[in-house]
Short mmCIF file of all heavy atoms in Angstrom, two decimals:
data_model
loop_
_atom_site.label_atom_id
_atom_site.label_comp_id
_atom_site.label_asym_id
_atom_site.label_seq_id
_atom_site.Cartn_x
_atom_site.Cartn_y
_atom_site.Cartn_z
N CYS O 61 267.25 49.13 69.31
CA CYS O 61 268.68 49.14 69.08
C CYS O 61 269.25 49.80 70.34
O CYS O 61 268.73 50.80 70.86
CB CYS O 61 269.03 49.95 67.85
SG CYS O 61 270.80 50.20 67.65
N MET O 62 270.42 49.23 70.78
CA MET O 62 271.02 49.84 72.00
C MET O 62 272.31 50.58 71.65
O MET O 62 273.09 50.93 72.53
CB MET O 62 271.20 48.84 73.12
CG MET O 62 271.84 47.58 72.64
SD MET O 62 271.76 46.36 73.95
CE MET O 62 272.73 45.03 73.23
N GLY O 63 272.55 50.72 70.35
CA GLY O 63 273.69 51.52 69.90
C GLY O 63 275.04 51.00 70.27
O GLY O 63 276.02 51.70 70.48
N CYS O 64 275.16 49.61 70.29
CA CYS O 64 276.41 48.98 70.77
C CYS O 64 277.41 48.80 69.62
O CYS O 64 278.57 48.52 69.88
CB CYS O 64 276.12 47.63 71.43
SG CYS O 64 275.60 46.38 70.24
N PHE O 65 276.93 48.95 68.37
CA PHE O 65 277.78 48.75 67.17
C PHE O 65 278.35 47.33 67.09
O PHE O 65 279.36 47.06 66.37
CB PHE O 65 278.92 49.79 67.06
CG PHE O 65 278.38 51.22 66.78
CD1 PHE O 65 278.75 52.23 67.61
CD2 PHE O 65 277.49 51.43 65.74
CE1 PHE O 65 278.28 53.54 67.39
CE2 PHE O 65 277.04 52.73 65.51
CZ PHE O 65 277.40 53.75 66.33
N TRP O 68 278.78 45.86 63.67
CA TRP O 68 279.85 46.36 62.82
C TRP O 68 281.19 45.85 63.32
O TRP O 68 282.11 45.63 62.57
CB TRP O 68 279.86 47.89 62.82
CG TRP O 68 278.72 48.53 62.13
CD1 TRP O 68 277.79 47.89 61.32
CD2 TRP O 68 278.39 49.91 62.11
NE1 TRP O 68 276.91 48.83 60.84
CE2 TRP O 68 277.24 50.07 61.29
CE3 TRP O 68 278.96 51.06 62.71
CZ2 TRP O 68 276.66 51.28 61.07
CZ3 TRP O 68 278.37 52.27 62.45
CH2 TRP O 68 277.22 52.40 61.66
N THR O 69 281.33 45.71 64.68
CA THR O 69 282.69 45.57 65.25
C THR O 69 282.84 44.25 66.10
O THR O 69 283.93 44.02 66.61
CB THR O 69 283.00 46.76 66.19
OG1 THR O 69 282.04 46.81 67.20
CG2 THR O 69 283.06 48.08 65.40
N PRO O 72 280.19 41.19 62.64
CA PRO O 72 279.79 42.00 61.48
C PRO O 72 278.67 41.38 60.65
O PRO O 72 278.71 40.20 60.32
CB PRO O 72 281.08 42.12 60.68
CG PRO O 72 282.17 42.00 61.73
CD PRO O 72 281.64 40.99 62.70
N GLY O 73 277.64 42.19 60.40
CA GLY O 73 276.51 41.71 59.58
C GLY O 73 275.41 41.00 60.42
O GLY O 73 274.38 40.56 59.92
N ARG O 78 269.07 38.87 69.53
CA ARG O 78 268.55 37.83 68.69
C ARG O 78 267.04 37.72 68.83
O ARG O 78 266.48 36.80 69.42
CB ARG O 78 269.21 36.50 69.02
CG ARG O 78 270.74 36.51 69.03
CD ARG O 78 271.34 37.07 67.78
NE ARG O 78 271.06 36.20 66.59
CZ ARG O 78 271.22 36.63 65.34
NH1 ARG O 78 271.63 37.86 65.07
NH2 ARG O 78 270.97 35.76 64.39
N TYR O 85 265.60 42.14 58.68
CA TYR O 85 266.52 43.03 57.92
C TYR O 85 267.19 42.28 56.75
O TYR O 85 267.40 42.95 55.72
CB TYR O 85 267.48 43.81 58.77
CG TYR O 85 268.44 43.04 59.72
CD1 TYR O 85 269.52 42.33 59.20
CD2 TYR O 85 268.28 43.13 61.08
CE1 TYR O 85 270.35 41.65 60.03
CE2 TYR O 85 269.17 42.40 61.94
CZ TYR O 85 270.19 41.68 61.39
OH TYR O 85 271.08 41.00 62.23
N ARG O 101 254.45 60.10 62.86
CA ARG O 101 254.44 60.85 64.13
C ARG O 101 255.49 61.93 64.07
O ARG O 101 256.66 61.62 63.82
CB ARG O 101 254.65 59.89 65.30
CG ARG O 101 254.31 60.53 66.62
CD ARG O 101 254.26 59.51 67.74
NE ARG O 101 253.09 58.70 67.73
CZ ARG O 101 251.92 59.01 68.29
NH1 ARG O 101 251.73 60.21 68.83
NH2 ARG O 101 250.89 58.18 68.22
N TYR O 102 255.12 63.14 64.32
CA TYR O 102 256.01 64.33 64.25
C TYR O 102 256.89 64.33 62.98
O TYR O 102 258.09 64.61 62.98
CB TYR O 102 256.96 64.33 65.50
CG TYR O 102 256.17 64.01 66.78
CD1 TYR O 102 256.65 63.09 67.69
CD2 TYR O 102 254.95 64.65 67.03
CE1 TYR O 102 255.90 62.77 68.83
CE2 TYR O 102 254.21 64.32 68.17
CZ TYR O 102 254.66 63.41 69.06
OH TYR O 102 253.95 63.04 70.18
N TYR O 105 258.54 58.27 61.13
CA TYR O 105 257.86 56.99 61.35
C TYR O 105 257.49 56.88 62.79
O TYR O 105 258.25 57.27 63.66
CB TYR O 105 258.80 55.82 60.99
CG TYR O 105 259.39 55.84 59.63
CD1 TYR O 105 260.60 56.50 59.38
CD2 TYR O 105 258.72 55.23 58.55
CE1 TYR O 105 261.16 56.51 58.11
CE2 TYR O 105 259.29 55.27 57.26
CZ TYR O 105 260.47 55.90 57.06
OH TYR O 105 261.04 55.93 55.82
N LYS O 110 259.91 52.67 63.28
CA LYS O 110 261.18 53.29 63.58
C LYS O 110 262.05 52.30 64.34
O LYS O 110 263.29 52.21 64.16
CB LYS O 110 260.98 54.61 64.38
CG LYS O 110 262.28 55.39 64.61
CD LYS O 110 262.88 55.84 63.29
CE LYS O 110 264.20 56.48 63.28
NZ LYS O 110 264.99 56.76 64.41
N GLU O 114 265.77 51.17 62.96
CA GLU O 114 267.03 51.33 63.71
C GLU O 114 267.78 50.00 63.85
O GLU O 114 268.98 50.01 63.99
CB GLU O 114 266.73 51.91 65.09
CG GLU O 114 266.23 53.35 65.02
CD GLU O 114 266.05 53.98 66.36
OE1 GLU O 114 266.32 53.37 67.42
OE2 GLU O 114 265.59 55.17 66.35
N GLN O 121 278.17 48.50 56.38
CA GLN O 121 279.46 48.40 57.02
C GLN O 121 279.70 49.68 57.83
O GLN O 121 279.08 50.71 57.56
CB GLN O 121 280.58 48.30 55.96
CG GLN O 121 280.49 47.07 55.11
CD GLN O 121 281.63 47.04 54.09
OE1 GLN O 121 282.50 47.89 54.06
NE2 GLN O 121 281.56 46.07 53.21
N ILE O 124 282.90 54.41 55.67
CA ILE O 124 282.14 55.53 55.07
C ILE O 124 282.66 55.80 53.70
O ILE O 124 283.87 55.64 53.41
CB ILE O 124 282.27 56.72 56.05
CG1 ILE O 124 281.41 56.43 57.28
CG2 ILE O 124 281.83 58.08 55.41
CD1 ILE O 124 281.42 57.49 58.37
N GLY O 129 277.99 63.70 47.18
CA GLY O 129 278.58 64.83 47.86
C GLY O 129 278.37 64.83 49.37
O GLY O 129 278.66 65.85 50.02
N GLU O 130 277.97 63.68 49.97
CA GLU O 130 277.81 63.58 51.40
C GLU O 130 278.42 62.29 51.85
O GLU O 130 278.53 61.33 51.06
CB GLU O 130 276.32 63.47 51.79
CG GLU O 130 275.57 64.80 51.74
CD GLU O 130 274.11 64.58 52.17
OE1 GLU O 130 273.66 63.40 52.27
OE2 GLU O 130 273.45 65.54 52.39
N THR O 131 278.78 62.25 53.18
CA THR O 131 279.29 61.00 53.72
C THR O 131 278.18 60.06 54.14
O THR O 131 277.22 60.48 54.76
CB THR O 131 280.27 61.33 54.92
OG1 THR O 131 279.55 62.12 55.86
CG2 THR O 131 281.49 62.06 54.46
N HIS O 132 278.34 58.76 53.71
CA HIS O 132 277.36 57.73 54.04
C HIS O 132 278.07 56.38 54.21
O HIS O 132 279.20 56.27 53.74
CB HIS O 132 276.29 57.63 52.95
CG HIS O 132 275.35 58.80 52.92
ND1 HIS O 132 274.30 58.96 53.79
CD2 HIS O 132 275.42 59.90 52.19
CE1 HIS O 132 273.69 60.11 53.54
NE2 HIS O 132 274.35 60.72 52.59
N HIS O 133 277.39 55.41 54.82
CA HIS O 133 278.08 54.10 54.98
C HIS O 133 278.07 53.28 53.70
O HIS O 133 277.21 53.43 52.86
CB HIS O 133 277.33 53.30 56.07
CG HIS O 133 277.58 53.84 57.43
ND1 HIS O 133 278.81 53.77 58.08
CD2 HIS O 133 276.75 54.51 58.31
CE1 HIS O 133 278.71 54.37 59.22
NE2 HIS O 133 277.52 54.84 59.43
N GLN O 135 277.29 49.95 51.93
CA GLN O 135 276.24 48.96 52.14
C GLN O 135 276.84 47.55 51.96
O GLN O 135 277.73 47.36 51.12
CB GLN O 135 275.12 49.12 51.10
CG GLN O 135 274.54 50.50 51.01
CD GLN O 135 273.33 50.69 51.89
OE1 GLN O 135 272.56 49.81 52.10
NE2 GLN O 135 273.15 51.90 52.45
N ARG O 136 276.34 46.57 52.70
CA ARG O 136 276.70 45.17 52.38
C ARG O 136 275.84 44.75 51.18
O ARG O 136 275.49 45.64 50.37
CB ARG O 136 276.46 44.30 53.64
CG ARG O 136 277.20 44.76 54.88
CD ARG O 136 277.11 43.70 55.97
NE ARG O 136 277.45 44.29 57.28
CZ ARG O 136 278.65 44.51 57.79
NH1 ARG O 136 279.75 44.17 57.10
NH2 ARG O 136 278.85 45.02 58.99
N THR O 137 275.43 43.47 51.08
CA THR O 137 274.67 43.08 49.87
C THR O 137 273.22 43.57 50.06
O THR O 137 272.36 42.81 50.57
CB THR O 137 274.76 41.56 49.70
OG1 THR O 137 276.15 41.25 49.67
CG2 THR O 137 274.09 41.18 48.37
N ARG O 151 248.90 65.08 60.23
CA ARG O 151 247.92 66.07 60.74
C ARG O 151 247.76 67.24 59.71
O ARG O 151 246.73 67.89 59.69
CB ARG O 151 248.39 66.65 62.03
CG ARG O 151 248.46 65.52 63.10
CD ARG O 151 248.86 66.06 64.47
NE ARG O 151 249.39 64.95 65.23
CZ ARG O 151 249.71 65.04 66.52
NH1 ARG O 151 249.58 66.16 67.15
NH2 ARG O 151 250.17 63.96 67.12
N GLU O 154 252.35 70.54 56.51
CA GLU O 154 253.72 70.67 57.04
C GLU O 154 254.30 69.34 57.45
O GLU O 154 255.47 69.03 57.18
CB GLU O 154 253.64 71.64 58.29
CG GLU O 154 254.96 72.02 58.79
CD GLU O 154 254.87 72.82 60.11
OE1 GLU O 154 253.75 72.95 60.64
OE2 GLU O 154 255.93 73.35 60.50
N GLU O 155 253.47 68.53 58.12
CA GLU O 155 253.94 67.21 58.55
C GLU O 155 254.21 66.32 57.35
O GLU O 155 255.22 65.57 57.30
CB GLU O 155 252.91 66.59 59.46
CG GLU O 155 253.40 65.23 60.04
CD GLU O 155 252.69 64.81 61.29
OE1 GLU O 155 251.48 65.05 61.38
OE2 GLU O 155 253.37 64.24 62.20
N LEU O 162 262.27 63.38 55.07
CA LEU O 162 262.86 62.24 55.79
C LEU O 162 263.12 61.10 54.80
O LEU O 162 264.21 60.50 54.76
CB LEU O 162 261.94 61.78 56.91
CG LEU O 162 262.36 60.45 57.57
CD1 LEU O 162 263.72 60.60 58.27
CD2 LEU O 162 261.31 59.99 58.58
N ARG O 165 266.08 61.53 52.65
CA ARG O 165 267.34 61.22 53.35
C ARG O 165 267.53 59.76 53.50
O ARG O 165 268.59 59.19 53.30
CB ARG O 165 267.35 61.90 54.77
CG ARG O 165 267.32 63.42 54.70
CD ARG O 165 268.44 64.05 55.54
NE ARG O 165 269.73 63.56 55.19
CZ ARG O 165 270.51 64.12 54.27
NH1 ARG O 165 270.11 65.11 53.53
NH2 ARG O 165 271.72 63.64 54.05
N ASN O 166 266.43 59.04 53.85
CA ASN O 166 266.53 57.57 54.01
C ASN O 166 267.00 56.92 52.71
O ASN O 166 267.75 55.92 52.76
CB ASN O 166 265.14 56.94 54.30
CG ASN O 166 264.60 57.27 55.66
OD1 ASN O 166 263.37 57.15 55.89
ND2 ASN O 166 265.45 57.65 56.59
N ASN O 169 270.58 56.23 52.55
CA ASN O 169 271.11 55.30 53.55
C ASN O 169 270.53 53.89 53.40
O ASN O 169 271.03 52.95 53.99
CB ASN O 169 270.85 55.84 54.98
CG ASN O 169 271.71 57.05 55.29
OD1 ASN O 169 272.90 57.05 54.91
ND2 ASN O 169 271.16 58.03 55.92
N PRO F 12 269.97 55.94 73.01
CA PRO F 12 269.70 54.57 73.37
C PRO F 12 270.82 53.91 74.17
O PRO F 12 270.66 52.84 74.70
CB PRO F 12 269.49 53.85 72.02
CG PRO F 12 269.13 54.95 71.04
CD PRO F 12 269.92 56.17 71.55
N ARG F 13 271.93 54.60 74.26
CA ARG F 13 273.03 54.04 75.10
C ARG F 13 273.39 55.11 76.11
O ARG F 13 274.60 55.37 76.38
CB ARG F 13 274.21 53.62 74.30
CG ARG F 13 274.76 54.75 73.41
CD ARG F 13 275.97 54.27 72.59
NE ARG F 13 276.53 55.41 71.85
CZ ARG F 13 277.53 55.29 70.96
NH1 ARG F 13 278.05 54.12 70.71
NH2 ARG F 13 277.98 56.36 70.37
N TYR F 64 269.37 58.96 64.61
CA TYR F 64 269.25 57.57 64.34
C TYR F 64 268.35 57.39 63.09
O TYR F 64 267.21 57.83 63.13
CB TYR F 64 268.58 56.87 65.55
CG TYR F 64 269.53 56.16 66.51
CD1 TYR F 64 270.76 56.74 66.85
CD2 TYR F 64 269.24 54.90 67.04
CE1 TYR F 64 271.64 56.12 67.70
CE2 TYR F 64 270.11 54.25 67.90
CZ TYR F 64 271.31 54.88 68.22
OH TYR F 64 272.17 54.24 69.10
N ASP F 66 268.35 58.82 60.38
CA ASP F 66 267.93 60.17 59.82
C ASP F 66 266.82 60.86 60.67
O ASP F 66 266.21 61.82 60.22
CB ASP F 66 267.42 60.05 58.39
CG ASP F 66 268.45 59.44 57.46
OD1 ASP F 66 269.51 60.07 57.32
OD2 ASP F 66 268.21 58.39 56.86
N LEU F 68 264.64 60.94 64.94
CA LEU F 68 264.74 60.87 66.38
C LEU F 68 264.95 59.43 66.83
O LEU F 68 264.23 58.54 66.32
CB LEU F 68 263.47 61.40 67.04
CG LEU F 68 262.95 62.79 66.53
CD1 LEU F 68 261.69 63.19 67.34
CD2 LEU F 68 264.04 63.84 66.71
N PRO F 69 265.80 59.14 67.80
CA PRO F 69 265.92 57.79 68.30
C PRO F 69 264.66 57.38 69.06
O PRO F 69 263.97 58.26 69.65
CB PRO F 69 267.13 57.84 69.23
CG PRO F 69 267.28 59.29 69.64
CD PRO F 69 266.67 60.10 68.51
N VAL F 70 264.40 56.08 69.10
CA VAL F 70 263.14 55.59 69.65
C VAL F 70 262.91 56.06 71.11
O VAL F 70 261.72 56.46 71.42
CB VAL F 70 263.07 54.04 69.49
CG1 VAL F 70 261.94 53.45 70.33
CG2 VAL F 70 262.86 53.67 68.07
N LEU F 73 261.43 59.47 70.88
CA LEU F 73 260.13 59.42 70.19
C LEU F 73 259.06 58.94 71.20
O LEU F 73 257.95 59.50 71.28
CB LEU F 73 260.21 58.48 69.02
CG LEU F 73 259.09 58.42 68.01
CD1 LEU F 73 258.74 59.78 67.46
CD2 LEU F 73 259.43 57.43 66.87
N LEU F 76 258.33 61.85 73.66
CA LEU F 76 257.49 62.89 73.11
C LEU F 76 256.05 62.45 73.01
O LEU F 76 255.11 63.19 73.24
CB LEU F 76 258.02 63.38 71.77
CG LEU F 76 259.41 64.05 71.79
CD1 LEU F 76 259.83 64.45 70.41
CD2 LEU F 76 259.46 65.24 72.76
N THR F 77 255.88 61.16 72.64
CA THR F 77 254.49 60.61 72.58
C THR F 77 253.85 60.64 73.92
O THR F 77 252.68 61.02 74.09
CB THR F 77 254.57 59.17 72.00
OG1 THR F 77 255.29 59.20 70.80
CG2 THR F 77 253.18 58.62 71.74
N GLU F 80 252.85 64.11 74.87
CA GLU F 80 251.62 64.52 74.15
C GLU F 80 250.39 63.93 74.88
O GLU F 80 249.37 64.57 74.99
CB GLU F 80 251.67 64.07 72.72
CG GLU F 80 250.44 64.43 71.97
CD GLU F 80 250.64 64.46 70.47
OE1 GLU F 80 251.76 64.30 70.00
OE2 GLU F 80 249.61 64.60 69.77
N PHE F 98 277.84 61.08 60.72
CA PHE F 98 278.40 61.60 59.47
C PHE F 98 278.96 62.98 59.66
O PHE F 98 278.70 63.70 60.62
CB PHE F 98 277.34 61.61 58.35
CG PHE F 98 276.88 60.19 57.99
CD1 PHE F 98 275.54 59.91 57.82
CD2 PHE F 98 277.79 59.17 57.85
CE1 PHE F 98 275.10 58.63 57.48
CE2 PHE F 98 277.36 57.84 57.54
CZ PHE F 98 276.00 57.60 57.34
N LEU F 99 279.74 63.41 58.68
CA LEU F 99 280.51 64.68 58.76
C LEU F 99 279.57 65.90 58.77
O LEU F 99 279.87 66.88 59.43
CB LEU F 99 281.52 64.82 57.64
CG LEU F 99 282.37 66.04 57.60
CD1 LEU F 99 283.32 66.08 58.81
CD2 LEU F 99 283.20 66.09 56.28
N GLU F 100 278.54 65.85 57.95
CA GLU F 100 277.80 67.04 57.69
C GLU F 100 276.72 67.32 58.76
O GLU F 100 275.75 66.54 58.93
CB GLU F 100 277.09 66.95 56.30
CG GLU F 100 277.99 66.72 55.14
CD GLU F 100 278.39 65.26 54.94
OE1 GLU F 100 277.78 64.39 55.61
OE2 GLU F 100 279.26 64.97 54.13
N HIS F 102 274.27 69.24 58.54
CA HIS F 102 272.95 69.36 57.99
C HIS F 102 272.20 68.06 57.88
O HIS F 102 271.00 68.02 57.67
CB HIS F 102 272.99 70.06 56.61
CG HIS F 102 273.47 69.17 55.50
ND1 HIS F 102 274.66 69.44 54.83
CD2 HIS F 102 272.97 68.07 54.93
CE1 HIS F 102 274.88 68.49 53.92
NE2 HIS F 102 273.86 67.65 53.97
N GLN F 103 272.91 66.91 58.08
CA GLN F 103 272.17 65.65 58.06
C GLN F 103 271.20 65.57 59.25
O GLN F 103 270.31 64.73 59.29
CB GLN F 103 273.15 64.48 58.02
CG GLN F 103 273.96 64.47 56.70
CD GLN F 103 274.30 63.08 56.19
OE1 GLN F 103 273.57 62.11 56.40
NE2 GLN F 103 275.45 62.96 55.50
N MET F 110 261.72 67.87 63.28
CA MET F 110 260.71 67.02 63.93
C MET F 110 260.41 67.51 65.35
O MET F 110 259.24 67.51 65.76
CB MET F 110 261.22 65.54 64.01
CG MET F 110 261.15 64.89 62.66
SD MET F 110 261.95 63.26 62.76
CE MET F 110 261.56 62.66 61.14
N LEU F 113 258.35 70.54 65.03
CA LEU F 113 256.96 70.21 64.68
C LEU F 113 256.19 69.73 65.90
O LEU F 113 255.07 70.14 66.17
CB LEU F 113 256.95 69.11 63.58
CG LEU F 113 255.56 68.70 63.13
CD1 LEU F 113 254.82 69.85 62.44
CD2 LEU F 113 255.62 67.50 62.18
N ARG F 116 255.32 72.75 67.87
CA ARG F 116 254.15 73.57 67.25
C ARG F 116 252.83 72.78 67.46
O ARG F 116 251.84 73.39 67.82
CB ARG F 116 254.43 73.79 65.80
CG ARG F 116 255.37 74.96 65.54
CD ARG F 116 255.37 75.43 64.10
NE ARG F 116 256.02 74.50 63.25
CZ ARG F 116 257.33 74.53 62.99
NH1 ARG F 116 258.10 75.44 63.55
NH2 ARG F 116 257.90 73.63 62.23
N GLN F 117 252.93 71.47 67.34
CA GLN F 117 251.68 70.68 67.48
C GLN F 117 251.20 70.69 68.90
O GLN F 117 250.01 70.51 69.15
CB GLN F 117 251.90 69.24 66.99
CG GLN F 117 251.99 69.11 65.49
CD GLN F 117 252.27 67.67 65.03
OE1 GLN F 117 252.64 66.79 65.86
NE2 GLN F 117 252.07 67.39 63.76
N ARG F 170 285.80 65.93 53.07
CA ARG F 170 285.13 64.62 53.10
C ARG F 170 286.12 63.47 52.95
O ARG F 170 286.01 62.45 53.66
CB ARG F 170 284.03 64.55 52.05
CG ARG F 170 282.87 65.47 52.39
CD ARG F 170 281.67 65.28 51.51
NE ARG F 170 280.65 66.12 52.01
CZ ARG F 170 280.55 67.41 51.72
NH1 ARG F 170 281.38 67.99 50.94
NH2 ARG F 170 279.56 68.13 52.28
N VAL F 174 286.74 60.46 55.53
CA VAL F 174 286.60 59.02 55.18
C VAL F 174 287.82 58.28 55.76
O VAL F 174 287.72 57.24 56.38
CB VAL F 174 286.44 58.83 53.68
CG1 VAL F 174 286.56 57.36 53.28
CG2 VAL F 174 285.04 59.39 53.23
N ARG F 188 288.08 44.64 69.65
CA ARG F 188 287.16 43.51 69.89
C ARG F 188 287.63 42.25 69.15
O ARG F 188 286.84 41.30 68.97
CB ARG F 188 285.77 43.89 69.48
CG ARG F 188 285.11 44.94 70.33
CD ARG F 188 283.80 45.43 69.78
NE ARG F 188 282.99 46.01 70.86
CZ ARG F 188 281.69 46.39 70.66
NH1 ARG F 188 281.13 46.22 69.48
NH2 ARG F 188 281.01 46.86 71.63
N VAL F 190 288.39 41.90 65.96
CA VAL F 190 287.77 41.74 64.63
C VAL F 190 288.62 42.43 63.58
O VAL F 190 289.04 43.57 63.80
CB VAL F 190 286.30 42.26 64.63
CG1 VAL F 190 285.72 42.24 63.27
CG2 VAL F 190 285.47 41.37 65.57
N GLN F 194 286.90 41.01 58.11
CA GLN F 194 285.66 40.58 58.76
C GLN F 194 284.61 41.71 58.79
O GLN F 194 283.43 41.51 58.50
CB GLN F 194 285.93 40.08 60.18
CG GLN F 194 286.64 38.76 60.22
CD GLN F 194 287.12 38.38 61.64
OE1 GLN F 194 287.63 39.22 62.37
NE2 GLN F 194 286.95 37.12 62.01
N MET F 195 285.12 42.91 59.08
CA MET F 195 284.19 44.05 59.14
C MET F 195 283.57 44.37 57.78
O MET F 195 282.53 44.97 57.68
CB MET F 195 284.86 45.30 59.74
CG MET F 195 285.16 45.11 61.22
SD MET F 195 286.27 46.37 61.82
CE MET F 195 285.19 47.69 62.14
N GLU F 196 284.40 44.05 56.75
CA GLU F 196 283.96 44.35 55.38
C GLU F 196 283.02 43.32 54.78
O GLU F 196 282.69 43.40 53.58
CB GLU F 196 285.16 44.51 54.49
CG GLU F 196 285.85 45.83 54.55
CD GLU F 196 287.10 45.88 53.70
OE1 GLU F 196 287.68 44.84 53.39
OE2 GLU F 196 287.51 47.05 53.41
N THR F 197 282.70 42.29 55.53
CA THR F 197 281.86 41.24 54.93
C THR F 197 280.61 41.83 54.25
O THR F 197 280.02 42.80 54.74
CB THR F 197 281.41 40.19 55.99
OG1 THR F 197 280.65 39.20 55.30
CG2 THR F 197 280.56 40.80 57.09
N MET F 198 280.30 41.23 53.10
CA MET F 198 279.08 41.71 52.40
C MET F 198 277.88 40.89 52.85
O MET F 198 276.77 41.15 52.44
CB MET F 198 279.27 41.58 50.88
CG MET F 198 280.38 42.47 50.31
SD MET F 198 280.08 44.23 50.67
CE MET F 198 278.92 44.64 49.38
N ILE F 200 274.92 39.33 55.19
CA ILE F 200 274.02 39.83 56.22
C ILE F 200 273.42 38.57 56.86
O ILE F 200 272.85 37.74 56.16
CB ILE F 200 272.92 40.72 55.60
CG1 ILE F 200 273.58 41.94 54.97
CG2 ILE F 200 271.84 41.08 56.62
CD1 ILE F 200 272.69 42.71 54.00
N GLU F 201 273.56 38.43 58.16
CA GLU F 201 273.13 37.20 58.84
C GLU F 201 273.63 35.97 58.08
O GLU F 201 272.85 35.12 57.62
CB GLU F 201 271.58 37.14 58.97
CG GLU F 201 271.02 38.16 59.98
CD GLU F 201 271.34 37.80 61.40
OE1 GLU F 201 271.42 36.60 61.74
OE2 GLU F 201 271.52 38.74 62.19
N PRO F 205 269.21 33.54 60.38
CA PRO F 205 268.81 34.11 61.67
C PRO F 205 268.67 33.07 62.76
O PRO F 205 268.43 31.91 62.51
CB PRO F 205 267.47 34.75 61.39
CG PRO F 205 267.01 34.29 60.05
CD PRO F 205 268.17 33.65 59.35
#
Side-chain angles (χ1 to χ4, degrees):
Chain O
C61 172
M62 48 190 186
C64 70
F65 293 127
W68 292 350
T69 59
R78 307 309 292 166
Y85 59 71
R101 194 169 283 277
Y102 317 131
Y105 303 91
K110 187 63 187 357
E114 292 184 3
Q121 296 180 6
I124 289 178
E130 283 180 348
T131 52
H132 290 279
H133 288 291
Q135 307 267 325
R136 303 191 199 276
T137 306
R151 299 181 201 187
E154 186 186 10
E155 184 160 38
L162 170 65
R165 295 231 56 86
N166 291 160
N169 290 319
Chain F
R13 56 179 184 186
Y64 261 41
D66 302 300
L68 310 182
V70 167
L73 189 55
L76 295 180
T77 307
E80 179 160 352
F98 295 136
L99 180 66
E100 302 83 9
H102 75 246
Q103 296 213 30
M110 285 173 175
L113 180 65
R116 281 194 285 274
Q117 287 178 344
R170 289 190 176 82
V174 168
R188 290 172 157 189
V190 173
Q194 287 171 317
M195 290 167 83
E196 277 176 339
T197 180
M198 294 304 277
I200 297 163
E201 289 289 327

